Every structure is written in C-alpha cells, then in structure tokens.
Amino acid sequence: MKRILLGIAVSLMYLPILASAALYEGLEAKACFAQHADPNQQASCLHQKKIESESQLKEVIIETNKEIKSNNVGLFNGKEDATETSGEVYSKRFLHAQKLWKQYRKELCLAVATEINEDAYDYQAFIDQCEINLNKRHSEEIKMMGIFPAS
C-alpha cells in the first residue's frame, strides 16, 4: 500500500510537467477540429474562440483599470503639487504595459507559427490558439496584481 501511495505522490509531482502543452495546442483548437470536418469551418470556429478570448481579456483589463483608479486616489507620491493622483499614473502605466504585452503576444505567436509552413491549412490555427493560451495566462497575471475590487 505504501508503494502505491508513493507512486501516486511521485506521479502527481510530475503532473504539471506532463500536462503542459505547446503554445499552439489547446482545448479550443481540439474542440473546433473535432466539431467540424471542413478546414474553413474549423478555422472560423477557432477564430471566433480567439475573439471571445480577447473580449474576456479586455474585460479583465477594463475592470482592473477601474480598480486601480478607485483604490489609488491620493496625489502621486503624496506630493501636494502633484497634478495627478497615484491612480492616474498607475492606470497610464498599466495600460501602456497592456499595449506592449499585446505586441509581444502577436510577435511571439507569429514566431511559434513559423514552425510550420505559412501555406499550411492550420498556420492561422497555430496563431489563434497561441493567442488564446497567452490571453488566459495574462488574465491570471493581471489578477495576481492584487488589486482590490472597486468600491
């Protein structure tokens, strides 16, 4: 019995490593490819899932930005002559970081997709699934900022 429990414990240690997938792999692509036989429908399905993913990320960014502004109402660096609140400065920096991150996402996913020929039927699917995966992870990163809900 001890050997079985030890084996399970060791297996669980390696589960995150085994469960990780390439950036171009994901449940969305698998579902679209399983649901549709036609490559055009597969691509359309996955593209729609990418749009939904971008919309969800956008909502996280909008809500986080509201929370940043509402939680940081004091003058920037506490200076009486400051013309902006710390929330306004934080918000500008946060939104600028999001713009840079989106460029990073685009370039990284293009790099990942170069693994296959640009004329391959699933070239865009590689890009779309990569962006979906990065959107999910980025949403989690934003949530890790520890911003309190807006009051």
Side-chain angles (χ1 to χ4, degrees), residues 10-68:
V10 170
S11 297
L12 290 176
M13 282 184 355
Y14 291 104
L15 187 59
I17 296 169
L18 298 174
S20 66
L23 282 174
Y24 57 81
E25 295 176 341
L27 298 176
E28 295 81 7
K30 287 180 184 177
C32 287
F33 280 64
Q35 186 179 6
H36 303 285
D38 178 49
N40 290 330
Q41 290 177 325
Q42 292 169 344
S44 179
C45 172
L46 189 56
H47 185 71
Q48 183 59 40
K49 290 185 183 296
K50 181 183 102 167
I51 290 170
E52 292 167 10
S53 170
E54 288 172 349
S55 178
Q56 291 167 355
L57 176 60
K58 184 177 180 179
E59 286 302 314
V60 169
I61 291 169
I62 289 169
E63 188 59 34
T64 301
N65 195 48
K66 285 180 190 174
E67 293 166 352
I68 286 169

Side-chain angles (χ1 to χ4, degrees), residues 57 97-105 134-135 138:
L57 176 60
Q98 301 319 302
K99 182 179 177 182
L100 295 173
W101 180 85
K102 288 176 183 178
Q103 185 64 33
Y104 161 81
R105 175 191 63 194
L134 291 178
N135 288 343
H138 192 56

Side-chain angles (χ1 to χ4, degrees), residues 71-121:
N71 288 312
N72 298 281
V73 294
L75 296 175
F76 181 60
N77 286 338
K79 297 180 181 177
E80 290 183 30
D81 61 343
T83 59
E84 295 178 298
T85 67
S86 57
E88 290 168 333
V89 174
Y90 192 168
S91 171
K92 285 180 190 177
R93 291 175 177 174
F94 172 72
L95 294 176
H96 180 69
Q98 301 319 302
K99 182 179 177 182
L100 295 173
W101 180 85
K102 288 176 183 178
Q103 185 64 33
Y104 161 81
R105 175 191 63 194
K106 176 184 173 188
E107 296 299 327
L108 179 61
C109 290
L110 281 173
V112 166
T114 60
E115 183 175 327
I116 62 173
N117 188 322
E118 289 183 0
D119 294 331
Y121 79 95

